[in-house]
Amino acid sequence: MYTSIILTAAALLPTVFAAPPRLPTHFFKRCANETSINSTTPDTAPVIPSCDLSGLSQPTSTLTPPGADLQLMLVALGQGTQNYTCGANLTAAPTAIGAVAQLFDASCALTNDPTASTKALGSIEESAKSIGAHFFVDNTTPDFDIAGLGNTQAKKVEDCNAPSPTADVKWLRLEAQAQGSTSQVKQIYRLNTVGGLAPGNCEGRAAGDVVTVEYEAQYWIYA
């Protein structure tokens, strides 16, 4: 499913982290009828779900819940790769250097079926165009660029193990940063992760090699 993402991510990783917080305009254009996130004629319509999100509750975790003053704006399905690089010690696990993913609006799908798993939501990708991009502007700064909503740079403030910690990357609470952000987003939660864990070592690879691991996640976005 993610072959094109993985190949492009591998080619871009050496330059992404030194570049300004935008990926090349072609990166997230996968189908002829889709609009690139950075197209010269972007879809500027706000990403406002047509369904009522007020009844949706996050899956249970030890993460600090959003404050009462925050409103759930969107639940996005992220599909892409968690990315790592090998160090000089090839018997050690590679080091995380961020992620690259496309985002799809999963809000109404979850409203219709609050128990839907992230894997079950994967069918959204087959029938809807991407609403945005998730990537890193450096090794520690996640960025979310969503059509109509704006750009949000964030930092990790909290994490917890996924229910299957040996299979899936951690769940996170991210806090928006004023610098680099143009949106009104305050917090983003990465929940219901699938895959994305680094291999245990870099044996068979060389120092500096980039390792990409497919993952999916739900991003709950609050303003």
Side-chain angles (χ1 to χ4, degrees):
M1 181 184 297
Y2 311 136
T3 302
S4 62
I5 296 176
I6 296 168
L7 292 176
T8 312
L12 285 174
L13 281 169
T15 58
V16 160
F17 305 116
R22 291 292 186 278
L23 291 179
T25 58
H26 67 275
F27 185 78
F28 289 97
K29 187 173 183 180
R30 298 178 61 192
C31 303
N33 64 345
E34 289 186 0
T35 303
S36 298
I37 296 306
N38 294 316
S39 167
T40 55
T41 57
D43 177 6
T44 56
V47 179
I48 300 176
S50 59
C51 45
D52 182 8
L53 303 183
S54 61
L56 274 185
S57 298
Q58 289 186 10
T60 302
S61 76
T62 59
L63 298 175
T64 303
D69 59 326
L70 295 181
Q71 179 182 355
L72 179 61
M73 302 297 293
L74 174 74
V75 180
L77 171 68
Q79 295 182 328
T81 61
Q82 293 289 316
N83 305 312
Y84 305 89
T85 186
C86 295
N89 179 7
L90 299 182
T91 63
T95 302
I97 54 173
V100 179
Q102 284 185 285
L103 302 175
F104 300 88
D105 187 358
S107 305
C108 293
L110 277 176
T111 299
N112 293 332
D113 181 5
T115 64
S117 68
T118 298
K119 277 291 189 183
L121 294 174
S123 60
I124 293 173
E125 184 265 349
E126 304 299 331
S127 59
K129 70 179 181 179
S130 171
I131 60 168
H134 167 45
F135 52 96
F136 276 60
V137 297
D138 57 40
N139 289 0
T140 60
T141 306
D143 191 293
F144 296 81
D145 203 355
I146 299 176
L149 188 60
N151 190 78
T152 305
Q153 286 189 18
K155 71 173 181 179
K156 183 182 77 171
V157 293
E158 195 176 3
D159 65 32
C160 69
N161 284 334
S164 299
T166 60
D168 306 323
V169 289
K170 290 184 175 184
W171 295 13
L172 307 176
R173 180 169 68 92
L174 307 173
E175 198 167 87
Q177 303 298 291
Q179 183 175 353
S181 296
T182 61
S183 74
Q184 297 302 309
V185 171
K186 302 300 183 186
Q187 291 189 2
I188 299 175
Y189 289 75
R190 185 181 78 184
L191 307 171
N192 285 344
T193 53
V194 177
L197 284 179
N201 59 65
C202 279
E203 292 176 358
R205 299 183 172 93
D209 280 359
V210 171
V211 182
T212 59
V213 185
E214 293 178 6
Y215 88 108
E216 293 181 294
Q218 295 174 18
Y219 291 97
W220 290 55
I221 299 172
Y222 295 82

